[in-house]
Amino acid sequence: MATTDGVSNGMTEPCEVCEMDTLHEVTVQLITEGGEGENARYSREPYRVRECQRCGNRESQRMNNA
């Protein structure tokens, strides 16, 4: 479970590379999944993206599985 860090705007979360809870920058990004073509711009999905501030490991998870 993520916790807030009182020192900065980041969140501490478990990092698989560091094998410990580290400070992460967490953002939400819209990523196009539909490939190319005329309707590609309508296939954007929200992803939760987190990056470890210690080792730089970056992971993303789709938020909408409908």
Side-chain angles (χ1 to χ4, degrees):
M1 179 173 188
T3 60
T4 58
D5 184 338
V7 177
S8 69
N9 290 333
M11 299 185 76
T12 56
E13 295 189 356
C15 177
E16 293 178 7
V17 176
C18 296
E19 297 181 344
M20 59 190 289
D21 285 353
T22 58
L23 187 64
H24 281 73
E25 180 178 332
V26 179
T27 59
V28 175
Q29 296 179 357
L30 292 176
I31 299 176
T32 302
E33 295 183 334
E36 297 180 22
E38 187 176 319
N39 293 325
R41 65 180 173 216
Y42 300 112
S43 66
R44 295 177 293 173
E45 295 292 335
Y47 277 77
R48 181 182 190 269
V49 181
R50 65 187 196 130
E51 182 175 345
C52 177
Q53 299 299 293
R54 182 171 185 224
C55 70
N57 183 48
R58 187 176 174 136
E59 298 177 358
S60 61
Q61 179 180 10
R62 187 176 177 185
M63 295 175 67
N64 181 7
N65 289 325

